Structures are given as structure tokens and as C-alpha cells.
Amino acid sequence: MLSEHDNLEEYRDPVNYDLEFGGEIEKYNFYLELAKSNPGEVLELACGTGLTTIPLSQSGINITGVDISSTMLEYARIKAKDLSAIFLEGDARTFKSEKRFSMIYLTGNAFQAFLSDEDQSCLLKTVYMHLKPNGIFAFETRNPMGADLSSEEETTWGEFIDMDGFLVKVSGTQSYDERNHIMHWVTFRDWGYKKSTSRIACRFTDNNTLKSMLTSHGFCIENQYSDWDNTPFTTLSSSIITVCRKKEQK
């Protein structure tokens, strides 16, 4: 059975990962403003190299980042330097801490890395357990109704400049497992003098299922957006950005 561990080969090169995927200022600001409006300690699950964790820490947020990849965390700690941000190695499905947080979030569509009902349930139980009463939980995920889920041969996806100044061309294939709602992407990166291949699997969850799952795990949805500028979510939006609050059990 597929698990979160099967996605790790995409995260072998943290420096170039940041150069390819960093710089999403609007996203960082979204989570920063959310944290400011819910004062207290913040937890980011699946934090990677701290692309979002570090800007929040730089803005004075007391934040802890947890990730399953020791390689990504090592680079996060180097980047954090003298910041107060704490980085811990752990699996979001089984993570345990004595701390309780005012806000917990995942970003980078990390929610989609949890590839089964059981994985998603374990994640949500972790979040619920570690949130303070009335705490905020936020994350984004691609919307299957607004996505192209067809299988595709290799197509051009983009390019970036790597740590040594080389232009890297990025392309890939996709194959959708409709039965399990899992997209399998294969990414090819071409430096001109070398090439790399990595694979990643992401589960697509429709919004009705998402809402039902959150409710059954003790969360009340406050807002859903389609973009980081708080544009309201619609059926065909490409993203579902969900902000919900922990309900106390009676």
C-alpha cells in the first residue's frame, strides 16, 4: 500500500527544491495573518525546508515545524539560523507533543500526501489532539473538480535556475488512479549535462468528502477560499483553502 514515505524521493535536494518552489509571498502572508489573528504558538506539519515556517518566525510568530524528511529539516535549521523556530523530525500521522497550539496548518498541498482514509484520519486526529480549545486548523488541497485528472505523456512544466546558476528544464507525466483518487506524477529535471527523475503520488479529495471528514473529526469549517487573496471557493476552483476551528467534545 502506498504511504507518505513513497513521496520522499521528491525531497532529496532541499537547496534546489527551495529554488524551484520558493517565493510564494502571498501564501506566506495568508498564514501569517491567520496566525496573528489567533495569538499563541503555531505548529506547521509537513514543513519541509521551512519555506513558510521561517517567514512566520521572522515576523515574531512562535512556531514549530514538523517533517518526516531529515534532509529537508537539516536545511531548514541552517536557514533558520538564530530564529526561535523549532524543527522536529516526525510523522504527522503519529506525532505527539505535550504542547497545545493555537493554530496548526499544512501547506504545499501536503494534505494530498496522505493517501488513504486511514492516513487522513490519523492526520486529523493528530491535529485535533494538539490544538487548544477553539484553535484554528488551516490547509489547502487541489480541487478534483477544478483539475485535469487525465493521464498525460511527458509535457513541459517549467524551469528554474539552480544553486550553481544552471537553467533546469522541468517536465513530467501524470497518471490518475480513479479507483483510489490518486494522481501519480513523474518529474524529469534536465540540467543539460545531467538528468533526474522523481515520483510523487497525491490523493484528490472532493470538497463534500472533505467537509464530511472534517466535521466527523471535530472541526467546524469557518471559511473556504480559492486563492491566497481570500477569493471565495467555487465548485470549479483549482484549490480548496480551508480554515476551520476545533469544536470541543460535549
Side-chain angles (χ1 to χ4, degrees), residues 53-67:
T53 324
I54 289 172
L56 266 65
S57 182
Q58 290 170 332
S59 297
I61 302 299
N62 190 352
I63 189 166
T64 297
V66 172
D67 198 89

Side-chain angles (χ1 to χ4, degrees), residues 97-116:
S97 171
E98 296 300 317
K99 285 187 177 182
R100 296 297 178 261
F101 300 87
S102 296
M103 172 176 146
I104 298 176
Y105 73 96
L106 298 87
T107 190
N109 294 307
F111 183 82
Q112 292 185 250
F114 299 89
L115 301 177
S116 67

Side-chain angles (χ1 to χ4, degrees), residues 87-102:
F87 291 99
L88 302 174
E89 185 174 346
D91 187 328
R93 295 168 293 189
T94 57
F95 175 72
K96 287 183 173 60
S97 171
E98 296 300 317
K99 285 187 177 182
R100 296 297 178 261
F101 300 87
S102 296

Side-chain angles (χ1 to χ4, degrees), residues 109 111-112 139-143 203 205 210 238-240:
N109 294 307
F111 183 82
Q112 292 185 250
F139 65 100
E140 84 273 9
T141 181
R142 299 177 187 89
N143 177 24
R203 192 182 200 198
T205 304
L210 194 64
S238 59
S239 291
I240 312 170

Side-chain angles (χ1 to χ4, degrees), residues 115-129:
L115 301 177
S116 67
D117 291 347
E118 181 181 0
D119 284 348
Q120 290 179 338
S121 179
C122 288
L123 166 67
L124 294 177
K125 287 176 181 177
T126 294
V127 173
Y128 190 92
M129 179 173 65

